[in-house]
């Protein structure tokens, strides 16, 4: 107490900083290696060149510290009812001098970077004053690097400028031109007497549209945990872009002409940038604008934090006080795409001026007055416009250059703007300070580029509307416009390639099931015989042939025969519910049904009144073997349908996707380009009624490989599955990640008993494994590379409506941060990320996935409205807007709207981010929650039903089973049996997964 000059409380902002500092330091003390221990450590650096007198410079600092109580302040909290700041009478000068004159310039640069890093992460003991450090590093006889580090609790940027001016004045031997400043405790007293309740109505009105936080632009989706701690060298890094003096003059002239400030222009551009990066994100704030004569478009709301000086004009002498005055206020901005730019910017200026009237309001109070969910921040990014004017520098015997100020915060992203230079030679330095665990450096550079682009547009096109502001840079437009194309036989049909393959390798095995195999010659001849019969029964292009066959080699013969005859095949799984099979048969009205006599559904068709009477052709008909075996003349054209395959609907009605020969040819031949390893033996795990079967069947047969068909439900016996892979020397397979993970887990357990950390020898033959149908986890990818280091692993993405797939990603052994990518577009496919207005979103921003190219199918059979909703005609000029108005192509493009969300990473690969509707994926199957609700609501006694799919169920690794349990229904007068029957009437994949989920819940 003998060394105490003053004691007073903390301001609300200081209290918040103290709490966050103690929290992060506590995590570090408990073993968290995150460098966030140095949070709120600010650094001022500069180079001093000339005849610097070290002792005089040190004395100038000692005198300055004595002049300002804040520089002698510590913070105490242990054992106290509330934290207090304690000003010491005297403090030791925290000074160190280093001599690096023996090092080369490159070494000095490296050592300085390391020193600044260590100094930041060292942090401060807040109970020990002073909370700053001074370091002078001698680089040459007349060159010194100066470093001032302090905890942000002490003072803000304005105060740093005052302190630095005092140091220079004392060094020059002259007293500071300003009188002794009022102590910071005067501001603390003033602040404690304010009645902020008067500001409540203002802030409630400002934040009435802010109900969810604005998503961070380009932030990694999984946060800090995606970055290995060994790669993190600093909690924050910064990038900057300096606007040249000529352009800064243009901005200043534009601002003066329209009575705006540079701060308004920068903050307006930042709000628009947040909008451009978040308007494709379903978490973004939206509401319908009030109808006007110009627009009824949906408006967007973005919220960010604006750092204000916080120095009240009614506190005399506040401009020369040293301390922490700044405050961060929420700025909630409405963005109506139809509004002209200039009036919108002028409204922003009025809003920022209005905020200044309430700038002392504690952020904690404002948070209470908002409708933001509890625990959610009002904002996660801030803007600070450092519009500070330094006083004239006294005459010195050294020159000050390369001044830098790194200001840390607890926000993941901060835009710092520093005007520099004289009036006619002024520049603007735009700096982005970012959490390295949340942002890639390339994404930050892209943000700076977009910010400059918007400011440029303000000057060049001041009378445009907000909707016409550029969203993409020229390089982004070029990258998205030039998607991969390659030549393929688009004027031929897939069965012609298989015929050619049969001629090249007649004796090679083509198809195997159990103990039965067919060579390419046998497959081709049997398909020709069946095709001859089909043509005699009236099958021509445009006619459909349903296939309802058990797993067998005959299943592949039937598919190939329908294509050879020129017809369209419709795959039906005999294990589907009868109601679904009946619906598909009635919907397609096929010319024939190819089946087997042991398929009970087919043999009882004639007994059911509600089912269309379709002639059946049984494959065990002896007359088939009497038909010609030569190839038929091809009658199909690329635009004719090759197959119709059913997927789930959203209202209880399955959708038949119509796939042409050209779609199938593009999808199949793209695999030749993407996969370097030719198919030797492919294991077909899925049903032919599931679209992933298309990939394995045609890819294998067109490359001359052997298609090995697995027994039904083999996934329930993982040892049997592994044995089949080993026995048949399988080189390629495709399955959902869940099943593959279970297979690796089971084999790892077996191998551990043999003291081996490998899945070999059971999977030794595998050269390529493809996972698709659901998200691939990082843990699965790492497990694969650990157990099968020589086997390539690919992640595929694509809906049935795009002919099975449209992107692929070869997963490397060393995984980059973040979720596993879905890769890039395959040849002759295009992938676009669009916002709700069908405009491309910037790289790194979230948008809805739209797919174009030769794989886009013809739509849904007999469902024109759903086809119209999902398949859109969009002009190329609306997708791309190039300088000089020269888009690459003007014709319209037919795009399929997937309902999936994604974003382009900085390396050009795509990241899948889930759905924007209520469809979910469980074990690789599309599950339409609305369809299940509809089935439940159709039952007597149920007025309303809600179905949810918790993430634990969606990521479940239990394989589906045939058994199902009786759900526990507590409502009276509801038949459990009726509900089970209603659910079983759903598409098989929905029924299986839902009823299995019921069993698991019990």
């Amino acid at each position: 107490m003998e060394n105490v000059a003053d004691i007073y409380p903390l301001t609300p902002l200081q209290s918040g900083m103290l709490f966050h500092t103690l929290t992060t330091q506590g995590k570090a003390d408990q073993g968290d290696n995150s460098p966030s221990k140095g949070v709120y450590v600010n650094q001022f650096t500069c180079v001093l060149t000339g005849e610097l007198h070290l002792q005089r410079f040190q004395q100038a600092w000692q005198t300055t510290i004595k002049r300002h109580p804040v520089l002698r302040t510590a913070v105490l909290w242990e054992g106290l009812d509330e934290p207090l700041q304690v000003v010491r009478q005297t403090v030791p000068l925290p000074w160190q001098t280093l001599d690096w004159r023996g090092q080369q310039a490159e070494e000095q640069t490296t050592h300085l970077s390391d020193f600044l890093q260590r100094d930041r992460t060292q942090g401060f003991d807040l109970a020990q004053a002073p909370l700053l450090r001074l370091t002078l590093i001698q680089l040459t006889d007349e060159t010194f690097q100066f470093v001032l580090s302090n905890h942000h609790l002490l003072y803000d940027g304005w105060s740093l400028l005052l302190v630095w001016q005092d140091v220079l004045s004392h060094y020059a031997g002259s007293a500071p031109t300003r009188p002794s400043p009022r102590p910071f405790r005067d501001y603390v007293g003033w602040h404690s007497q304010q009645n902020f309740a008067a500001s409540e109505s203002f802030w409630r009105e400002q934040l009435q549209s802010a109900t969810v936080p604005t998503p961070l632009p380009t932030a990694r989706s999984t946060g800090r945990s995606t970055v290995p701690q060994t790669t993190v060298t600093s909690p924050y890094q910064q990038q900057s872009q300096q606007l040249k003096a000529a352009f800064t003059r243009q901005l200043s002239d534009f601002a003066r002409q329209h009575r705006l400030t540079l701060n308004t222009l920068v903050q307006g551009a930042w709000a628009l940038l947040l909008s451009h990066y978040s308007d494709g994100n379903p978490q973004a704030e939206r509401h319908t604008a009030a109808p006007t004569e110009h627009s009824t478009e949906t408006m967007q709301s973005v919220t960010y934090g604006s750092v204000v000086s916080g120095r009240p004009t009614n506190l005399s002498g506040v401009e020369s006080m040293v301390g922490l005055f700044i405050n961060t206020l929420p700025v909630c901005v409405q963005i109506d795409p139809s509004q002209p730019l200039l009036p919108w910017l002028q409204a922003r200026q009025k809003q920022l001026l209005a905020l200044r009237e309430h700038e002392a309001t504690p952020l904690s109070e404002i948070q209470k007055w908002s409708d933001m969910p509890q625990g959610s921040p009002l904002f996660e990014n801030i803007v600070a416009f450092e519009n500070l004017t330094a006083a004239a520098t006294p005459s010195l015997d050294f020159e000050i250059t390369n001044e830098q100020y790194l200001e840390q915060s607890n926000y993941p992203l901060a835009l710092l703007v520093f005007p520099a230079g004289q009036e006619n030679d002024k520049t603007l330095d735009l700096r982005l300070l970012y959490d390295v665990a949340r942002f890639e450096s390339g994404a930050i550079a892209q943000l700076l580029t977009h910010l400059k682009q918007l400011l440029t547009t303000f000057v060049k096109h001041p009378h445009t509307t907000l909707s016409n502001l550029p969203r993409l840079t020229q390089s982004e437009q070029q990258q998205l416009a030039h998607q991969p194309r390659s030549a393929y036989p688009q004027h031929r049909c897939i069965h012609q390639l298989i015929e050619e393959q049969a001629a090249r390798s007649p004796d090679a095995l083509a198809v195997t099931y159990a103990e039965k195999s067919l060579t390419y010659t046998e497959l081709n001849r049997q398909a020709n015989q069946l095709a001859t019969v089909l043509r005699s029964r009236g099958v021509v292009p445009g006619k459909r042939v349903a296939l309802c066959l058990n797993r067998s080699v005959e299943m592949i013969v039937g598919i190939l025969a329908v294509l050879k005859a020129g017809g369209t095949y419709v795959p039906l799984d005999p294990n589907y519910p009868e109601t679904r099979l009946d619906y598909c048969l009635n919907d397609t009205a096929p010319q024939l049904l190819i089946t087997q006599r042991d398929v009970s559904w087919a043999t009882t068709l004639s007994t059911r009144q509600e089912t269309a009477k379709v002639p059946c052709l049984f494959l065990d008909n002896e007359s088939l073997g009497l038909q010609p075996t030569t190839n038929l003349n091809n009658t199909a054209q690329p635009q004719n349908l090759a197959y119709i395959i059913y997927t789930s609907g959203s209202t209880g009605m399955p959708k038949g996707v119509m796939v042409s020969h050209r779609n199938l040819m593009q999808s199949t031949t793209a695999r030749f380009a993407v996969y370097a390893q030719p198919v030797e033996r492919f294991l077909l795990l899925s049903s032919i009624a599931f679209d992933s079967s298309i990939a394995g069947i045609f890819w294998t047969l067109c490359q001359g490989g052997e298609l090995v068909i697995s027994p039904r439900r083999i996934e329930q016996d993982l040892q049997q599955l592994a044995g089949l892979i080993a026995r048949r020397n399988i080189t390629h397979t495709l399955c959902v990640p869940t099943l593959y993970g279970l297979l690796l887990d089971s084999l790892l357990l077996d191998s551990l008993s043999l003291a081996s950390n490998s899945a070999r020898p059971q999977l030794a033959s595998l050269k390529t494994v493809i996972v698709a149908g659901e998200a691939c986890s990082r843990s699965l990818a790492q497990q694969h590379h650990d157990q099968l280091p020589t086997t390539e692993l690919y992640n595929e993405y694509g809906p049935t409506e795009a002919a099975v797939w449209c992107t692929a990603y070869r997963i490397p052994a060393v995984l980059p941060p973040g979720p596993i990518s879905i890769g890039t577009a395959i040849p002759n496919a295009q992938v676009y990320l669009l916002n709700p207005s069908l405009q491309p979103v910037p790289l790194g921003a979230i948008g809805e996935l739209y797919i174009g190219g030769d794989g886009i199918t013809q739509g849904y059979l007999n469902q024109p409205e759903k086809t119209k909703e999902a398949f859109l005609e969009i002009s190329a000029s609306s997708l791309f807007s190039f300088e000089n108005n020269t888009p690459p192509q003007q014709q319209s493009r037919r795009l399929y709207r997937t309902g999936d969300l994604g974003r382009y990473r900085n390396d050009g690969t795509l990241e899948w981010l889930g759905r924007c509707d209520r469809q979910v994926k469980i074990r690789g199957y599309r599950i339409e929650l609305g369809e299940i609700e509809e089935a439940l609501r159709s039952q007597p006694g149920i007025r309303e039903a809600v179905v949810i799919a918790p993430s634990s169920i969606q990521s479940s690794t239990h394989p589906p089973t045939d058994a199902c349990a009786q759900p526990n229904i507590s409502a009276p007068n509801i038949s459990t049996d009726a509900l089970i029957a209603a659910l079983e009437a759903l598409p098989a994949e929905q029924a299986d997964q839902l009823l299995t989920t019921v069993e698991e819940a019990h």
Side-chain angles (χ1 to χ4, degrees):
M1 293 300 296
E2 294 178 357
N3 194 30
V4 173
D6 204 354
I7 300 177
Y8 48 89
L10 277 67
T11 66
L13 177 60
Q14 288 178 308
S15 296
M17 282 189 179
L18 174 63
F19 175 79
H20 189 245
T21 299
L22 296 178
T23 301
T24 54
Q25 288 185 355
K27 290 180 179 179
D29 294 339
Q30 294 173 13
D32 183 356
N33 294 324
S34 169
S36 59
K37 183 177 180 180
V39 69
Y40 294 120
V41 174
N42 298 341
Q43 284 179 330
F44 168 70
T45 62
C46 63
V47 175
L48 310 178
T49 306
E51 298 181 8
L52 177 68
H53 295 274
L54 302 186
Q55 187 173 1
R56 195 196 313 172
F57 192 51
Q58 286 182 254
Q59 184 58 47
W61 271 104
Q62 189 71 70
T63 304
T64 302
I65 289 174
K66 184 178 181 180
R67 173 178 166 87
H68 297 289
V70 161
L71 304 184
R72 292 176 276 115
T73 296
V75 179
L76 304 181
W77 64 90
E78 292 184 348
L80 302 177
D81 293 335
E82 64 173 347
L84 296 173
Q85 39 193 334
V86 179
V87 181
R88 301 297 181 187
Q89 292 277 9
T90 60
V91 294
L93 185 67
W95 183 278
Q96 70 169 330
T97 302
L98 303 176
D99 191 344
W100 291 357
R101 281 178 290 182
Q103 301 177 7
Q104 297 295 322
E106 295 79 6
E107 291 180 279
Q108 292 176 347
T109 300
T110 300
H111 287 166
L112 178 60
S113 177
D114 293 341
F115 172 82
L116 295 177
Q117 161 70 32
R118 291 193 305 272
D119 182 70
R120 283 194 298 269
T121 56
Q122 179 181 346
F124 286 93
D125 181 354
L126 299 182
Q128 298 295 322
L131 301 181
L132 54 86
R133 286 188 291 270
L134 305 166
T135 303
L136 191 67
I137 305 171
Q138 189 161 9
L139 304 178
T140 70
D141 289 345
E142 293 189 344
T143 307
F144 300 84
Q145 176 73 53
F146 177 65
V147 180
L148 163 62
S149 302
N150 71 280
H151 198 284
H152 205 356
L153 274 167
L154 292 188
Y155 54 75
D156 51 29
W158 183 320
S159 299
L160 170 65
L161 190 61
L162 298 175
V163 169
W164 185 234
Q165 289 171 354
D166 283 357
V167 169
L168 297 181
S169 295
H170 288 304
Y171 178 88
S174 59
T177 57
R178 301 180 311 280
S180 295
R182 296 181 66 176
F184 184 63
R185 73 159 300 135
D186 289 359
Y187 169 75
V188 176
W190 174 90
H191 195 278
S192 65
Q193 297 172 7
Q194 302 307 301
N195 179 14
F196 295 111
S199 298
E200 180 176 353
S201 60
F202 170 82
W203 286 114
R204 286 191 181 277
E205 181 181 359
Q206 286 290 309
L207 298 172
Q208 59 185 346
S209 63
T211 58
V212 294
T214 298
L216 281 170
T218 77
R220 291 185 172 116
S221 60
T222 54
R224 189 175 294 275
S225 63
T226 66
V227 179
Q229 290 295 341
T230 55
T231 66
V232 178
T233 58
S234 172
Y236 287 86
Q237 292 181 2
Q238 67 175 347
Q239 292 188 37
S240 63
Q241 183 170 95
Q242 190 171 65
L243 304 184
K244 294 181 179 179
F247 179 56
T248 303
R249 281 197 300 273
Q250 290 180 324
L251 277 177
S252 299
D253 293 343
F254 173 81
R256 279 193 296 268
Q257 178 184 356
H258 300 288
R259 298 185 178 181
L260 300 169
T261 64
L262 284 177
N263 183 26
T264 297
L265 296 184
V266 171
Q267 296 211 34
W270 183 253
L272 291 168
L273 190 62
L274 293 177
S275 169
H276 290 176
Y277 272 88
S278 65
D279 62 0
N281 192 327
Q283 298 178 352
E285 187 77 42
R286 290 187 185 85
H287 60 278
T288 302
T292 68
E293 60 177 335
H294 301 292
S295 171
T296 57
E297 292 187 68
T298 298
M299 284 209 306
Q300 189 183 2
S301 175
V302 298
T303 303
Y304 64 92
S306 178
V307 179
V308 295
S309 69
R311 295 175 183 255
T313 55
N314 57 350
L315 179 62
S316 62
V318 70
E319 67 281 349
S320 62
M321 293 170 67
V322 172
L324 185 64
F325 296 88
I326 60 169
N327 196 10
T328 306
L329 304 175
V331 183
C332 186
V333 180
Q334 305 297 318
I335 298 175
D336 179 355
S338 65
Q339 188 173 4
L341 173 62
L342 269 178
W344 183 83
L345 286 172
Q346 290 162 350
R348 299 286 68 73
Q349 175 132 319
K350 292 179 181 179
Q351 180 185 20
L352 294 176
L353 289 173
L355 296 184
R356 294 294 302 272
E357 307 259 337
H358 306 271
E359 66 178 349
T361 312
L363 184 58
S364 57
E365 293 297 314
I366 300 175
Q367 177 86 36
K368 295 176 185 177
W369 299 329
S370 76
D371 293 328
M372 199 70 70
Q374 187 174 5
S376 296
L378 279 171
F379 46 83
E380 289 192 287
N381 63 93
I382 61 174
V383 177
F385 195 96
E386 304 285 356
N387 196 10
L388 305 177
T389 304
T393 303
S395 178
L396 301 169
D397 46 17
F398 58 85
E399 181 183 3
I400 305 170
T401 59
N402 199 25
E403 293 178 275
Q404 300 285 334
Y405 182 50
L406 177 61
E407 187 174 29
Q408 299 255 42
S409 77
N410 64 319
Y411 294 101
L413 185 64
L415 171 64
L416 312 178
V417 186
F418 297 90
Q422 301 302 317
E423 185 63 30
N424 293 329
D425 196 33
K426 183 179 290 186
T427 63
L428 277 184
D429 187 12
L430 308 177
R431 299 183 196 173
L432 280 177
L433 183 69
Y434 61 98
D435 182 342
V436 297
R438 301 288 297 276
F439 297 92
E440 297 176 350
S441 61
I444 294 298
Q446 192 72 20
L447 283 175
L448 286 170
T449 300
H450 278 278
L451 185 62
K452 180 182 178 182
Q453 179 178 250
L454 282 169
L455 292 171
T456 303
T457 305
F458 288 0
V459 174
K460 290 185 175 181
H461 307 287
H463 301 292
T464 189
T465 62
L466 301 186
S467 62
N468 289 329
L469 291 170
R471 293 170 175 268
L472 306 180
T473 63
Q474 190 77 2
S475 61
E476 285 177 304
Q477 292 173 12
Q478 296 286 354
Q479 179 177 339
L480 295 179
H482 296 92
Q483 302 209 28
R485 291 199 66 84
S486 64
Y488 70 98
Q490 55 183 301
H491 301 297
R492 306 186 68 199
C493 297
I494 205 77
H495 56 272
Q496 294 176 292
L497 301 190
I498 299 174
E499 291 172 351
E500 293 171 359
Q501 188 62 53
R504 283 194 296 269
S505 53
D507 298 326
L509 289 181
V511 187
T512 297
Y513 176 74
E515 301 306 318
K516 185 174 182 179
S517 297
L518 295 177
T519 65
Y520 272 88
T521 293
E522 292 168 336
L523 172 64
N524 193 50
R525 287 177 175 177
Q526 290 187 24
N528 286 336
Q529 290 175 322
L530 179 55
T532 301
V533 174
L534 294 179
R535 280 197 177 172
S536 70
R537 301 284 289 269
V539 175
V540 294
K543 295 296 182 179
R544 302 157 194 157
V545 177
L547 297 170
C548 191
L549 300 166
N550 292 316
R551 298 175 75 81
S552 60
V553 296
E554 288 77 17
M555 187 173 67
I556 306 304
V557 171
I559 291 174
L560 185 55
V562 175
L563 297 177
K564 283 172 170 282
T568 302
Y569 81 88
V570 182
L572 302 176
D573 191 321
N575 298 292
Y576 277 4
E578 285 189 357
T579 52
R580 178 178 172 93
L581 293 172
D582 289 346
Y583 170 81
C584 295
L585 197 67
N586 289 324
D587 192 42
T588 55
Q591 187 84 2
L592 284 172
L593 170 63
I594 299 178
T595 187
Q596 295 152 322
R597 295 191 186 277
D598 57 353
V599 175
S600 59
W601 169 78
T603 57
T604 60
L605 280 178
S606 60
T607 65
R608 297 199 298 278
Q609 296 294 326
E610 68 279 4
T611 305
K613 302 302 181 285
V614 178
C616 292
L617 177 59
F618 295 97
L619 287 186
D620 54 0
N621 191 324
E622 295 181 358
S623 64
L624 292 177
L626 303 176
Q627 303 300 320
T629 60
T630 55
N631 291 334
L632 286 69
N633 292 329
N634 181 49
T635 58
Q637 297 299 315
Q639 67 271 19
N640 294 145
L641 293 184
Y643 64 91
I644 297 173
I645 195 164
Y646 278 84
T647 184
S648 300
S650 58
T651 59
M653 184 179 296
K655 295 174 290 189
V657 180
M658 301 183 290
V659 184
S660 71
H661 283 273
R662 178 167 294 167
N663 300 149
L664 179 57
M665 182 68 78
Q666 180 270 337
S667 176
T668 300
T669 55
R671 296 186 178 278
F672 305 165
V674 172
Y675 294 103
Q677 297 275 8
V679 180
E680 297 174 45
R681 287 166 297 280
F682 186 98
L683 179 60
L684 182 65
L685 293 166
S686 61
S687 162
I688 63 167
F690 196 46
D691 70 342
S692 64
S693 67
I694 307 298
I697 292 172
F698 295 103
W699 181 22
T700 304
L701 297 181
C702 286
Q703 280 202 323
E706 178 185 357
L707 183 69
V708 180
I709 303 172
S710 70
R712 180 172 179 264
R713 297 293 197 187
I714 194 174
E715 65 270 15
Q716 294 183 10
D717 188 338
L718 297 173
Q719 291 303 316
Q720 182 187 1
L721 174 57
L724 179 61
I725 292 173
R727 188 169 64 255
R728 294 292 185 181
N729 287 316
I730 300 299
T731 61
H732 290 65
T733 193
L734 186 156
C735 62
V736 294
T738 300
L739 175 58
Y740 186 53
L742 288 170
L743 178 62
L744 291 179
D745 286 342
S746 68
L747 296 181
L748 181 59
L749 290 175
D750 290 343
S751 65
L752 288 176
S753 65
L754 301 174
S756 170
N757 186 27
S758 172
R760 297 178 179 274
Q762 296 97 325
L763 307 182
S765 61
L766 285 175
K767 295 183 178 180
T768 300
V769 173
I770 304 167
V771 292
E774 62 187 24
C776 176
S777 67
R778 291 176 60 86
S779 60
L780 174 60
Q782 193 61 62
Q783 183 181 10
H784 164 88
H785 286 297
D786 290 343
Q787 295 181 235
L788 298 172
T790 62
T791 302
E792 292 188 340
L793 179 64
Y794 284 83
N795 189 28
E796 276 188 17
Y797 164 83
T800 307
E801 291 84 349
V804 184
W805 71 320
C806 60
T807 71
Y809 179 65
R810 183 178 180 273
I811 303 176
V814 179
L815 301 177
I820 300 298
S821 170
I822 59 173
T824 56
I826 64 174
N828 306 303
Q830 298 107 37
V831 178
Y832 304 99
L833 294 175
L834 308 181
N835 65 14
S837 300
L838 301 181
Q839 295 173 306
V841 299
L843 294 182
I846 296 175
E848 185 175 353
L849 278 157
Y850 286 75
I851 306 171
D854 294 351
I856 298 304
T857 58
Q858 296 184 13
Y860 303 121
L861 179 68
N862 300 328
Q863 297 193 46
E865 290 302 318
K866 290 193 178 299
T867 299
K868 185 177 180 181
E869 291 173 6
F871 295 84
L872 309 178
E873 293 285 343
I874 302 178
S875 67
S877 58
S878 68
L879 292 174
F880 310 106
S881 54
F882 292 89
E883 292 291 332
N884 304 321
N885 298 315
T886 56
Q889 293 175 325
Q890 289 290 348
Q891 74 271 21
S892 64
R893 298 191 179 187
R894 189 165 183 266
L895 303 183
Y896 169 67
R897 180 181 184 179
T898 67
D900 288 326
L901 297 172
R903 66 170 147 217
Y904 273 109
R905 292 176 174 171
N906 210 52
D907 62 1
T909 63
L910 276 162
E911 181 180 334
W912 181 82
L913 297 171
R915 297 285 300 176
C916 60
D917 57 18
R918 299 190 64 222
Q919 184 189 103
V920 298
K921 282 284 187 78
I922 299 179
R923 305 182 184 109
Y925 294 98
R926 289 189 192 184
I927 306 297
E928 298 279 1
L929 301 183
E931 185 172 332
I932 300 171
E933 291 171 350
E934 185 72 18
L936 292 172
R937 281 193 293 264
S938 67
Q939 300 307 300
I942 296 182
R943 183 173 60 186
E944 192 55 76
V946 176
V947 177
I948 61 173
S951 58
S952 59
I953 297 296
Q954 295 183 56
S955 60
S956 171
T957 57
H958 297 292
T961 64
D962 288 321
C964 64
Q966 301 295 311
N968 182 13
I969 306 295
S970 59
N973 304 321
I974 295 179
S975 167
T976 300
D977 291 338
L979 288 181
I980 291 293
L983 297 179
E984 287 178 333
L986 292 166
E989 62 267 23
Q990 303 232 51
D992 278 352
Q993 302 307 316
L994 184 65
L995 296 176
T996 301
T997 298
V998 171
E999 180 189 42
E1000 292 168 353
H1002 279 264

